Amino acid sequence: MDIAGPARTQVNGPAALNIAAVAGTGESLRMKSFRKELWFEAPQRRALMNITPDVGECLRESGIREGLCLVNAMHITASVFINDDESGLHADYERWLEQLAPEKPHHTYDHNRTGEDNADAHLKRTIMGREVVVAVTAGKLDFGPWEQIFYGEFDGRRKKRVLVKIIGE
Amino acid sequence: MDIAGPARTQVNGPAALNIAAVAGTGESLRMKSFRKELWFEAPQRRALMNITPDVGECLRESGIREGLCLVNAMHITASVFINDDESGLHADYERWLEQLAPEKPHHTYDHNRTGEDNADAHLKRTIMGREVVVAVTAGKLDFGPWEQIFYGEFDGRRKKRVLVKIIGE
Amino acid sequence: MDIAGPARTQVNGPAALNIAAVAGTGESLRMKSFRKELWFEAPQRRALMNITPDVGECLRESGIREGLCLVNAMHITASVFINDDESGLHADYERWLEQLAPEKPHHTYDHNRTGEDNADAHLKRTIMGREVVVAVTAGKLDFGPWEQIFYGEFDGRRKKRVLVKIIGE
């Protein structure tokens, strides 16, 4: 599992900052929602990328101080999860996921009869999870000491997206 | 894993639409919350059902345009997850989950000494996950190209529930 | 997996109750957010603790009636998940997790070359999940009949934290 320097781009979503909600009497209210897509292109089939700084930047852009931050893979062969930024652990993940849901032989999976070769990526993403929800407190991602957000790519070599949605105030 | 036409009913929850929040000065505010239970009865022990249209209908009923939508199994032998609506993949899931947490022999699980035979269903649901949180943007479930919400039943042949809770504005 | 009477303490977080949001015209609004840390110290390496009463008490303190309640492990070798409070099932979890991600031999994991011995705990927590999001309806945790929230400790014998964050009204 290669974690060295994947290509990485960011694209603003269609509604980057949306301050809305109208009281019955017409006053505008400070309930905010923020949306942004993060785009990634892993040069290998599988990669783990620490996207904590990207999500932190979204939170700063949003101006939201208290709320919840959803970060999810928009593709079903990729994952967003929280764990440690330690290269040994990442090597352990690679070995472990290959044990639990081996990539090959491709023909052992019914899904691959559709012309795909990525059935294992659907299963690996299932183990690792689609999404995380992170508390936002005092304008920061409210994390324990070692929590870092990762994008887990299991069928890379093409542009794929992560959605960041923050609601609060 | 049978995915063909399980019986499916919908029942309104006790507080189907709840527009609330009162400002300190007494004006009502447009922060909304919506709740609905979806009921399912799988005719087999295990089944995967695409419930995306049901959740989409909840969102339309709610009138919420920006927020978060929680969809969770209310039973601990069932799952709500997001993946592909492809029958080959669903067959792969069935085989894979039976490898990781086989149903039989029933007596290998301590939980089954209580008179149950569904210990494997608790473990399968653990792999697949209890819930998903989906962003709501411009009144739509904010999905990538292939994301579909599934109810995963691992101990069926009886009525069971999924909770949809949406908050936002 | 020992589930008998782990040491358990609660500490108020820095912003235990935070009623905020200001309308454009200056009125205060009843969108609330609540934060609290729950601290646990398992006397064994691995333990499952039912924290449903602790989370329920947070909800009562918050005064929130409609919203979402996030409960997450703040440590990456621990889990928060929802399942059954049945001792046989908990023994099954212990055996099953040891099959999927055995603790020993420690040297089989690259992560343990860093001086740690807890690589398995990172993997076990991955299976069990970091967090749950629970609907809040009419001031209650909106649960199905058997849902209970657990703290899953996989590298215990020290103080560790769970974050409860509730937003709503």
Side-chain angles (χ1 to χ4, degrees):
Chain A
M1 193 171 289
D2 189 291
I3 57 160
R8 173 186 290 219
T9 60
Q10 280 191 23
V11 177
N12 281 307
L17 181 55
N18 174 24
I19 300 182
V22 177
T25 51
E27 297 87 40
S28 70
L29 169 71
R30 298 283 294 280
M31 160 121 191
K32 293 178 184 174
S33 87
F34 175 91
R35 177 196 193 276
K36 192 169 193 173
E37 295 177 4
L38 308 175
W39 287 74
F40 302 98
E41 182 169 356
Q44 298 81 21
R45 183 178 175 101
R46 290 193 286 277
L48 302 184
M49 308 176 203
N50 187 335
I51 63 172
T52 314
D54 309 79
V55 177
E57 178 57 28
C58 286
L59 181 53
R60 278 186 292 278
E61 281 183 47
S62 77
I64 291 172
R65 305 276 306 162
E66 295 291 327
L68 295 177
C69 176
L70 168 69
V71 189
N72 69 266
M74 300 185 77
H75 299 258
I76 52 189
T77 51
S79 172
V80 170
F81 67 97
I82 286 176
N83 218 298
D84 199 357
D85 198 352
E86 196 281 302
S87 61
L89 182 66
H90 296 179
D92 293 330
Y93 269 127
E94 164 66 11
R95 254 192 312 273
W96 183 62
L97 291 171
E98 269 293 281
Q99 278 179 359
L100 294 182
E103 181 193 336
K104 298 175 182 174
H106 290 143
H107 65 78
T108 57
Y109 294 102
D110 284 9
H111 180 58
N112 290 341
R113 295 180 189 169
T114 63
E116 299 281 357
D117 67 1
N118 65 4
D120 71 301
H122 291 271
L123 304 184
K124 288 177 168 103
R125 117 63 174 258
T126 300
I127 295 278
M128 300 303 289
R130 167 188 180 260
E131 78 210 14
V132 297
V133 178
V134 180
V136 174
T137 301
K140 303 282 187 192
L141 297 169
D142 195 337
F143 272 150
W146 299 101
E147 291 189 279
Q148 295 284 307
I149 309 173
F150 285 87
Y151 175 65
E153 176 62 81
F154 306 111
D155 184 27
R157 302 190 199 108
R158 53 194 171 103
K159 289 200 171 189
K160 291 167 80 172
R161 287 178 285 163
V162 164
L163 180 62
V164 179
K165 183 91 184 187
I166 312 172
I167 69 165
E169 61 188 17
Chain B
M1 193 170 289
D2 190 292
I3 57 160
R8 173 184 292 217
T9 59
Q10 279 191 24
V11 177
N12 282 308
L17 181 56
N18 173 25
I19 301 181
V22 177
T25 51
E27 299 86 42
S28 71
L29 170 72
R30 299 282 294 280
M31 160 121 191
K32 292 179 186 175
S33 86
F34 175 92
R35 178 198 193 272
K36 193 169 193 173
E37 294 178 4
L38 308 176
W39 286 75
F40 303 98
E41 183 170 355
Q44 297 81 21
R45 184 179 175 98
R46 290 194 286 277
L48 301 185
M49 309 176 202
N50 187 336
I51 63 172
T52 315
D54 309 78
V55 177
E57 179 56 28
C58 287
L59 182 53
R60 276 186 294 277
E61 280 183 47
S62 78
I64 291 171
R65 305 277 305 163
E66 295 292 325
L68 294 177
C69 175
L70 168 70
V71 188
N72 69 265
M74 299 185 76
H75 299 258
I76 53 190
T77 51
S79 171
V80 170
F81 67 97
I82 287 176
N83 218 297
D84 198 358
D85 198 352
E86 197 280 305
S87 61
L89 182 66
H90 296 180
D92 293 330
Y93 268 128
E94 163 66 12
R95 253 192 312 274
W96 183 63
L97 291 171
E98 269 293 281
Q99 279 180 358
L100 294 182
E103 180 193 335
K104 298 176 182 174
H106 291 143
H107 65 78
T108 57
Y109 295 102
D110 284 9
H111 181 57
N112 290 342
R113 295 180 191 170
T114 63
E116 298 282 356
D117 66 1
N118 64 5
D120 70 300
H122 290 270
L123 304 184
K124 288 177 168 103
R125 117 63 175 259
T126 300
I127 295 278
M128 300 303 290
R130 168 188 180 259
E131 77 210 15
V132 297
V133 178
V134 180
V136 173
T137 302
K140 303 284 187 191
L141 297 170
D142 194 338
F143 272 151
W146 298 101
E147 290 189 279
Q148 296 284 306
I149 308 173
F150 285 87
Y151 175 66
E153 176 62 83
F154 306 111
D155 184 28
R157 302 190 199 107
R158 53 195 172 103
K159 288 199 172 191
K160 292 168 79 172
R161 285 178 286 164
V162 164
L163 180 62
V164 180
K165 183 89 182 189
I166 311 172
I167 70 165
E169 61 189 17
Chain C
M1 192 170 291
D2 190 291
I3 58 161
R8 172 184 293 215
T9 60
Q10 280 191 24
V11 177
N12 281 309
L17 181 56
N18 173 23
I19 301 181
V22 177
T25 51
E27 298 87 40
S28 70
L29 171 71
R30 298 284 293 282
M31 161 123 191
K32 293 178 184 174
S33 86
F34 175 92
R35 177 196 194 275
K36 192 170 192 172
E37 295 177 3
L38 308 175
W39 287 74
F40 302 98
E41 182 169 357
Q44 298 80 22
R45 184 179 175 99
R46 290 193 285 277
L48 301 185
M49 308 176 202
N50 187 336
I51 63 172
T52 315
D54 309 79
V55 177
E57 179 56 27
C58 287
L59 182 53
R60 277 186 293 277
E61 281 183 46
S62 77
I64 291 172
R65 305 276 307 162
E66 296 291 326
L68 295 177
C69 175
L70 168 69
V71 188
N72 68 266
M74 299 185 78
H75 299 258
I76 52 189
T77 52
S79 171
V80 170
F81 67 96
I82 287 177
N83 218 296
D84 199 357
D85 198 352
E86 197 280 305
S87 61
L89 182 66
H90 297 180
D92 293 331
Y93 269 127
E94 164 66 12
R95 252 192 313 274
W96 184 63
L97 291 171
E98 270 292 282
Q99 278 181 357
L100 293 182
E103 181 193 336
K104 296 176 182 173
H106 290 143
H107 65 79
T108 57
Y109 295 102
D110 284 8
H111 180 58
N112 291 341
R113 296 181 190 170
T114 62
E116 299 281 357
D117 66 1
N118 65 4
D120 70 300
H122 291 271
L123 304 185
K124 288 177 168 103
R125 117 63 175 259
T126 300
I127 295 278
M128 300 303 290
R130 168 188 180 260
E131 77 209 16
V132 297
V133 177
V134 181
V136 174
T137 302
K140 304 283 187 192
L141 298 169
D142 195 338
F143 272 152
W146 298 102
E147 290 189 280
Q148 296 284 307
I149 308 174
F150 285 87
Y151 175 66
E153 176 62 82
F154 305 112
D155 184 27
R157 302 190 200 109
R158 55 196 170 102
K159 289 200 170 191
K160 291 167 79 172
R161 286 177 286 164
V162 164
L163 179 63
V164 180
K165 183 90 184 188
I166 313 172
I167 69 166
E169 61 187 17

